Amino acid sequence: MKDLVPERYALAFRLYPYARSPDQDTPAPPRHPVVIVGGGPIGLATALDLGRRGVPVVVLDDHEGVGLGSRALCFSKRTLEICDRLGAARPMLEKGVQWNLGKVFHDDRLLYEFNLLPEGGHGFPAFINLQQPWFERFLHDAIVAAQAAGAPIQIRGRNRVEAVTPAADHVALDVMTPEGPYRLEADWLIACDGARSSLRNMLGLGFDGRVFEDNFLIADVKMKADFPTERWFWFEPHFKSGDSALLHKQPDDLWRIDFQLGWNIDRAKELQPANIRARVDAMLGTGVDYALDWCSIYTFQCRRMERFRHGRVLFAGDAAHQVSPFGARGANSGIQDADNLGWKLALVLAGRAPETLLDSYEAERVQAADENILNSTRATDFITPKTAVSKLFRNAVLELAETLPFARSLVNSGRLSLPCTYDGSALNGPDCAQMPARSRPGSPCPDAPTPEGWLLNRLAPGFTLLTVDATAPDSLAAHGVQVPRLALATTPELRDRYLGSAPGAVYLIRPDQHVAARWATYDAAAVTAALARAIGKEGSC
Amino acid sequence: MLTTEPNLTRPDDTYARLIASHDGLTEAESHAFNARLILILMNHIGEDAVLAEALAQARRPA
């Protein structure tokens, strides 16, 4: 019999085998509040967020689990904080590798070492290295736990979307399964189907940007070497294994090795194990015992859709925007998309916020995508200079970096992925000039220790009124939204991160832990107005 | 603001030193030298707006 939904790639973990849904036997297409297409990290995180908010969600994936290959590797602090809010971060932290020390080489010379020395007083490290299949598996484990606690999440394996038909108040989908086709409808459709998004193509939407003419060979190598847990980056390495090279540690005795190959290469030849081994041997030196675990050659682009919201279809993750891998901004920015979208869609579905709140998802995440594309493009231009003069300055920076500290700040092999501050967002309310810039409206809340645990763990799933040495009621209710208060007394960290020179502080914090507005003292009318603004009820009429 | 009025304490000496420091360099080495020098001076100036003005002045056709 013909396989109606053939597998396109091998699986690392089979997590949600195909099972017939009652939807396949109903005469009229059933309607769901939210359908998510794509069971990758962004689809799973979005489903988990919505499900934990009580929103029924159906995930359609054309496979039955997580694809093989380590792919995304560096997960940032903000991603871990979001996953912690979703109940998935602890196993990630336990399995992931933490590192602080990096070394930068040019040719055969060590230019300098850097220690990230992350700021103390945060619940999570700057980032961890973890293979993408494990990241997805831990998200799926959290979904299973949430389902057991009553979260209305369904994942349907080997359900491939064949056609999408947008209407004014819903989206209709034609879905193929191993047992044949069926139809269903969604009030809202979220496309998390990756950089080659078939939904984007079916809707005829563009994906414009810049293509980088370079190929990178990625080799995951298994070895029990006593290499230190450090990130090593070579520019123009002496071992001639590529124009640049990267060595990075993963869990399970795996090492990620990246070689920059240039544009005109013979792909098939470069992927032959003997040729990969020759490059790895040159890098590691002779006599190192290792096995090739997974290899791939990739090229990349920096591009994004013009709009992330098309009526009742919302795009998130790589489907909406794509960056080069330098700086770890792919999966990390996609998780922030999910973080931004979940609470907004839940409020709209509950009838507590206007549909236009979803336009702020687009505005804020387009701003973030542009920031990520800018950072990623700059790192790529430094690693692979496009003109002779660009290379001249790049190498001048590298030569100076060995002796002059200032030049090290110009070496760019990928900047640490930091979450976007939504400056200028329509949801932002009043600011207070005495308080630190890092927690201004639009910023993700900086974590801090409190006597009862980490600050971020103490924020409510919805809005929170955070007070530091300020009086306010224990909770307020306005516009159909309950806002509990979290009352804290000053500590050195809270002074540094929230108070500044103000004697007290009142912060209105969004469900995605971004600051909506802040004041030196509590004023009921001001807080209520800022809440209205933060849920899109102001200025939209 | 970018200083465009005379500011060098010993202009002729400094200029001669600049030219002399290229002695014996090939053209490629001179270019690399200039690139390093620009980066060092840029860092000393520091202010992005001043450097933007300097870059615009240098780009202006003679």
Side-chain angles (χ1 to χ4, degrees), chain A residues 392-393 395-397 399-400 404 406 409-410, chain B residues 28 31-32 34-40 43:
Chain A
L392 179 74
F393 276 105
N395 284 355
V397 166
E399 284 158 20
L400 294 174
L404 303 182
F406 88 84
S409 67
L410 298 174
Chain B
H31 282 308
N34 283 335
R36 291 193 295 271
L37 181 65
I38 288 168
L39 291 168
I40 290 166
N43 182 64

Side-chain angles (χ1 to χ4, degrees), chain B:
Chain B
M1 207 182 86
L2 182 72
T3 302
T4 52
E5 293 304 311
N7 190 42
L8 294 166
T9 51
R10 300 166 65 90
D12 289 350
D13 288 349
T14 306
Y15 186 78
R17 195 191 309 280
L18 172 68
I19 302 305
S21 60
H22 283 266
D23 281 353
L25 298 184
T26 65
E27 195 172 337
E29 287 165 346
S30 274
H31 282 308
F33 171 96
N34 283 335
R36 291 193 295 271
L37 181 65
I38 288 168
L39 291 168
I40 290 166
L41 297 177
M42 275 175 65
N43 182 64
H44 186 83
I45 293 163
E47 191 59 48
D48 181 64
V50 174
L51 288 163
E53 229 181 304
L55 290 169
Q57 286 290 338
R59 180 81 198 204
R60 211 176 53 176

Side-chain angles (χ1 to χ4, degrees), chain A residues 5 23 35 71 119 122 133 149 169 174 198 240 249 304 324 485 532:
Chain A
V5 189
D23 284 3
V35 171
R71 296 167 290 152
E119 183 185 55
H122 289 262
D169 66 343
D174 287 82
S198 56
K240 304 292 179 208
K249 191 168 190 206
R304 73 161 167 88
S324 85
R485 173 192 180 202

